[in-house]
Amino acid sequence: MCFIFFLLLIPTLSFGDEQESLQEKANAAKEKLEREGTWLLEPHATLTLLEENRVLDNKAIKALTQRNHQQRGFLAYLDKKKQAYTISAQSITGKRYLTHVYLEGYAPFKTKNPLIPLYMISSRKTYQKDRKQYFGRNDVWQSSRQAYLNPTGDCEDHAVLLADWLIEMKYDARVVIGDVRGNGHAWVIWLHKGKTYLLEATKKFKKSAPKRYPLASLLPGYHPQYMFNRSDFWTNTGSKFTANYTSQRWVKKSRYKKKW
């Protein structure tokens, strides 16, 4: 996964929260995680393959993810059409989970402004490639809590934290896996009031928060392959050069449901 340049900004949103107050809230959230810990808990869950009307129970999910648990990088699992119905990735501990698991349902603190999550991640988290941080391991995923507490992370760690925070704010946000300039990358898509915005989670704002988010339709350099949120997984069955994240070429392949 790679660091990516920032791009053109489009529609309007305001930034009204005081930055000092934000930092106080951010520090309090970090201190709370330091006290509580950030161990990733795998929930009891089911995975429904929507086109095949087949349900994998918790035992089957574990068997699926542990089959190649030592293989590095994320893994795609294919259905009868040879299309991915879900993907998994290795955690910090080396255990493999479906990528839904990394979206824990976490927001460091409450805010009504959808610009705040990206700004706070930008100001508090530094981009660092996995192989440098994890002694040669590639594509090691942090959960949303881990990503907030850990000061460094790769693109998927930034994207997981950003998407989970926005979802907790009741927005339709999704992590997208694909490539930019031929390099693997992860970013966030935000669907809001009939428009689709592309959020580059690794963008760093040095002095001030963003004033608007860019429209995905104007950023064709991002080539999406898979897309997921806490429950649903989509596969791009069309061209990877699409900038349309709501077309019929995006097929919802499975639904993940926590049972606890």
Side-chain angles (χ1 to χ4, degrees), residues 6-159:
F6 196 51
L7 298 146
L8 195 62
L9 293 175
I10 312 282
T12 58
L13 287 170
S14 62
F15 179 77
D17 298 37
E18 292 294 331
Q19 293 190 24
E20 288 186 7
S21 175
L22 290 175
Q23 294 300 336
E24 289 175 359
K25 293 177 181 178
N27 290 335
K30 181 181 178 181
E31 291 171 0
K32 183 178 180 181
L33 288 180
E34 289 173 339
R35 292 193 302 270
E36 296 177 349
T38 58
W39 293 106
L40 181 58
L41 300 177
E42 183 177 17
H44 288 277
T46 59
L47 184 72
T48 302
L49 280 63
L50 299 175
E51 293 182 313
E52 298 181 11
N53 195 27
R54 179 162 61 97
V55 179
L56 302 182
D57 61 15
N58 196 64
K59 184 178 180 180
I61 292 174
K62 288 187 175 181
L64 185 71
T65 55
Q66 296 309 304
R67 189 179 303 160
N68 302 101
H69 72 280
Q70 293 183 336
Q71 183 173 332
R72 296 184 178 182
F74 76 83
L75 292 178
Y77 303 93
L78 307 184
D79 59 16
K80 294 178 180 179
K81 295 181 179 180
K82 304 300 181 183
Q83 297 173 347
Y85 63 85
T86 194
I87 58 177
S88 70
Q90 275 194 338
S91 67
I92 294 174
T93 62
K95 191 172 182 180
R96 183 172 291 279
Y97 300 101
L98 297 185
T99 51
H100 303 288
V101 175
Y102 295 93
L103 298 169
E104 299 177 286
Y106 177 68
F109 56 85
K110 292 183 179 180
T111 177
K112 296 181 180 180
N113 190 333
L115 292 167
I116 297 300
L118 180 57
Y119 171 65
M120 295 309 299
I121 295 169
S122 168
S123 65
R124 299 179 69 87
K125 194 169 183 68
T126 301
Y127 179 89
Q128 187 176 61
K129 290 185 177 181
D130 288 333
R131 64 175 176 267
K132 184 175 181 180
Q133 185 172 193
Y134 299 109
F135 307 101
R137 294 171 62 196
N138 288 321
D139 279 344
V140 177
W141 284 44
Q142 300 170 6
S143 70
S144 51
R145 283 183 170 84
Q146 292 167 346
Y148 187 75
L149 184 60
N150 194 326
T152 60
D154 206 345
C155 55
E156 70 274 2
D157 307 321
H158 286 73

